[in-house]
Amino acid sequence: MAADYDAIIIGAGISGMYQLHRLRGLGLAVRVFEAGNGVGGTWYWNRYPGARFDSESWTYGYSFSDEILREWEWSEHFAAQPETLRYCNFVADKLDLRRDIEFNCRIRAAIYDDAAGEWEIESEDGRRARARFLITAIGPLSAPTMPSIPGVGTFRGEAYHTGLWPHEPVSFEGKRVGVIGTGATAVQAITEIAKTVGQLTVFQRTPNWCAPLHNSPIDAATQARIKATYAEIFTRCRGTFGCFIHDADPRKALEVSPEEREALFEKLYREPGFGIWMGNFRDVLVNEEANATITEFMRRKIRERVKDPAVAAKLIPTNHGFGTRRVPLESGYYEVYNQPNVRLVDLRDTPIERITPAGIKTSDAEYELDMIVYATGFDAITGAFDRIDIRGWDGRRLRDKWAHGPRTFLGLQVEGFPNLLTLVGPHNAATFCNIPRCIEQNVDWVTALIAYMRERGFSRVEPTPEAEREWLEHVYDTGRRMLFTQVDSWMMGINSNLPGKNKRTFIVYAGGAPRYREKCEEAVAGGYAGFTFR
Ligand code: NA7
């Protein structure tokens, strides 16, 4: 049976949309399969209150189209989810993408047919399709996980996971709302919910170091300046570690005077965005002593902002330094705890025992609630892959191959899985990036590879075992120096709600986007060194 398409893309988020556009440009027949009822991926699913960028909007949008850059106007420096979803739809309209996207179609399995040299995918509702290339654009944080707490299904009130938020408005007015989790999502949601809630109870297991976002509207003059300087903005992003506009300060925290140190910390705390994380002294994320200086500064800030010292103490992380877990950016998060109708339950003192029909029961009390918001995160990076039965030649399962941690070459291909291309896959720089910047690089690279194969009449590409081994070593070598690898978080593959996810595993690439890009370019310059073609 002949293949239905040249390429199948799973997912119509930021990466799937751009990949579709680029492959169309090569004249390929492409079909995108998307579980949601619309484009946007992360921005389609994460409709929870307060969801917004932590990247500057004008660094986040696609850079490849002058027309899109010219026509689209971000209204705020850090756009909220509804605006970002509108942006995704604007791009889909502009590029006429929808005619090649099948919506409401969740892929269950993808099997490589070695004899035909084709992938066959099957959706949950039994639809099937075949193509030579299979491109996963399934997102790094797209497999939501519910807490493994007894009784989760028994609660009689409203219950929502932030990553599966309803499309209809949800009201908190006059309600007793409980939020489980205090990660980046929860910090945004809690701050917004607190504005209208009757009574809010936050169930916190591990506090995080949160820093001010300082969002603001973009005025006309700034809008004009942004549009006139897009080229420079993107060039700057390309040069920084995580493709953010912020770049590490060339000085080391331990080499300057305490006053100079304080001055930079204070400046960064007052400035918008991730500067305090990505634009800090260059040793704070790799040297414990340097890290202790910014950690102490952040501790002071929490104490200053939270009136009740006992509550402040609970909000101060004690098991990790600043920036060693994903830093939530906030817009008045700490002040929420000064409201009389907000209380903080520290699960380290009183763990949750069960969810009951009426609310949440901890070891010392039962909290009656009208609504529970699960801000409990995702099965990060590999989770979306694990949820699809992906089988390469000889029927080998990707899930099995990655059972003890992912193995890839460049985070884009896997030995034993020919013609499978994994955008934003594990060990890919896009996992630690102002993501569209890395997505464009991923997609451009994949597109060039496919063009190369067509020119030369190759039908099959796969990395060599040696290339995969060397990449794994490189991922570990570059990651090891970072302090975050010594801390439990989703960035290290930890998820307390899933069996087997309690051991730290390298799943991201922390060598920095510029180095990653170099590695990708090196492979190309060497005639796609590390890959075998047929
Ligand atoms: P995160 O950062 O994984 O946060 C999940 C939160 O939920 C975190 O505070 C967890 O505490 C908490 N959690 C998870 N399971 C439980 C149980 N069983 N009991 C109590 N508390 C629990 O996910 P987010 O959605 O906030 O952010 C994900 C990324 O999305 C974010 O980094 C952005 O880049 C976008 P824990 O820390 O495990 O103790």
Side-chain angles (χ1 to χ4, degrees), residues 382-396:
T382 51
F385 289 92
D386 288 347
R387 290 183 184 192
I388 303 173
D389 183 11
I390 301 176
R391 291 193 228 166
W393 49 264
D394 283 350
R396 58 167 81 181

Side-chain angles (χ1 to χ4, degrees), residues 131-422:
R132 174 157 293 170
F133 293 98
L134 176 66
I135 302 174
T136 53
I138 51 187
L141 294 159
S142 54
T145 45
M146 289 291 280
S148 56
I149 302 171
V152 164
T154 64
F155 180 60
R156 276 199 304 261
E158 294 171 77
Y160 310 106
H161 188 288
T162 49
L164 297 167
W165 200 261
H167 291 205
E168 303 72 40
V170 173
S171 165
F172 308 100
E173 238 153 283
K175 291 181 188 164
R176 298 163 301 173
V177 177
V179 177
I180 301 183
T182 47
T185 296
V187 165
Q188 290 184 332
I190 287 165
T191 310
E192 196 58 31
I193 293 170
K195 291 177 183 166
T196 55
V197 76
Q199 160 104 54
L200 176 61
T201 311
V202 176
F203 296 86
Q204 168 189 271
R205 189 165 61 186
T206 313
N208 286 298
W209 297 105
C210 311
L213 175 67
H214 295 303
N215 183 32
S216 61
I218 298 177
D219 60 39
T222 310
Q223 188 76 256
R225 198 170 58 244
I226 289 169
K227 288 197 177 185
T229 54
Y230 264 130
E232 288 108 272
I233 290 169
F234 293 129
T235 302
R236 178 169 165 87
C237 289
R238 267 174 71 87
T240 67
F241 186 87
C243 293
F244 291 92
I245 199 78
H246 312 279
D247 201 3
D249 191 285
R251 295 168 296 169
K252 288 184 170 181
L254 298 177
E255 283 172 4
V256 301
S257 68
E259 295 73 32
E260 209 174 332
R261 212 157 47 216
E262 182 76 9
L264 181 68
F265 293 162
E266 203 45 78
K267 173 173 170 288
L268 293 172
Y269 200 80
R270 282 164 207 264
E271 283 176 356
F274 271 143
I276 197 148
W277 194 19
M278 304 288 172
N280 216 313
F281 293 111
R282 70 185 165 93
D283 51 350
V284 298
L285 301 179
V286 293
N287 176 309
E288 268 183 54
E289 218 185 313
N291 184 266
T293 62
I294 177 70
T295 299
E296 175 49 31
F297 174 88
M298 296 301 287
R299 200 177 285 129
R300 232 166 45 224
K301 288 292 176 195
I302 299 174
R303 289 204 191 103
E304 278 166 24
R305 290 175 58 184
V306 180
K307 285 190 190 133
D308 181 340
V311 176
K314 288 181 183 171
L315 289 166
I316 293 174
T318 51
N319 64 353
H320 67 282
F322 173 80
T324 62
R325 300 176 109 212
R326 205 287 203 183
V327 175
L329 294 186
E330 48 84 27
S331 307
Y333 175 66
Y334 289 114
E335 286 70 19
V336 162
Y337 295 96
N338 298 333
Q339 286 182 212
N341 63 342
V342 176
R343 63 188 161 184
L344 179 64
V345 176
D346 191 334
L347 301 178
R348 292 167 298 184
D349 300 338
T350 56
I352 297 179
E353 285 182 349
R354 59 183 308 112
I355 309 288
T356 69
I360 295 177
K361 185 175 176 331
T362 66
S363 59
D364 80 335
E366 178 157 4
Y367 297 86
E368 289 197 6
L369 301 166
D370 302 305
M371 185 194 297
I372 300 178
V373 174
Y374 296 103
T376 45
F378 302 89
D379 184 1
I381 318 252
T382 51
F385 289 92
D386 288 347
R387 290 183 184 192
I388 303 173
D389 183 11
I390 301 176
R391 291 193 228 166
W393 49 264
D394 283 350
R396 58 167 81 181
R397 285 193 158 85
L398 188 61
R399 211 182 281 157
D400 295 338
K401 172 155 181 166
W402 287 357
H404 302 290
R407 300 174 65 88
T408 77
F409 182 39
L410 300 172
L412 282 166
Q413 261 231 298
V414 185
E415 184 266 330
F417 297 78
N419 295 359
L420 170 67
L421 293 146
T422 55

Side-chain angles (χ1 to χ4, degrees), residues 1-8 10 33 107 109-122 128-136 388-393 396-398 413-414 416-422 459-461:
M1 180 183 137
D4 306 298
Y5 307 103
D6 296 313
I8 286 173
I10 310 179
F33 294 89
I107 302 306
I111 316 285
Y112 186 66
D113 175 344
D114 206 16
E118 287 167 8
W119 282 92
E120 181 169 89
I121 52 120
E122 189 188 337
R128 285 166 194 269
R130 292 170 79 96
R132 174 157 293 170
F133 293 98
L134 176 66
I135 302 174
T136 53
I388 303 173
D389 183 11
I390 301 176
R391 291 193 228 166
W393 49 264
R396 58 167 81 181
R397 285 193 158 85
L398 188 61
Q413 261 231 298
V414 185
F417 297 78
N419 295 359
L420 170 67
L421 293 146
T422 55
S459 58
R460 189 181 145 130
V461 61

Side-chain angles (χ1 to χ4, degrees), residues 433-484:
C433 190
N434 184 11
I435 200 161
R437 301 284 62 78
C438 285
I439 281 174
E440 285 185 338
Q441 181 276 344
N442 272 205
V443 168
D444 291 346
W445 193 93
V446 164
T447 307
L449 170 71
I450 292 176
Y452 173 90
M453 289 176 66
R454 281 164 63 92
E455 276 160 26
R456 285 166 180 71
F458 294 132
S459 58
R460 189 181 145 130
V461 61
E462 182 182 354
T464 63
E466 298 75 46
E468 204 172 75
R469 225 175 3 254
E470 280 169 24
W471 186 250
L472 193 68
E473 269 170 39
H474 173 68
V475 167
Y476 275 71
D477 286 347
T478 47
R480 243 182 235 116
R481 54 190 282 276
M482 309 287 292
L483 293 174
F484 83 82

Side-chain angles (χ1 to χ4, degrees), residues 68-82:
I68 292 172
L69 289 172
R70 215 172 29 245
E71 291 181 15
W72 181 261
E73 305 219 324
W74 295 106
S75 71
E76 294 178 281
H77 284 280
F78 301 89
Q81 176 271 337

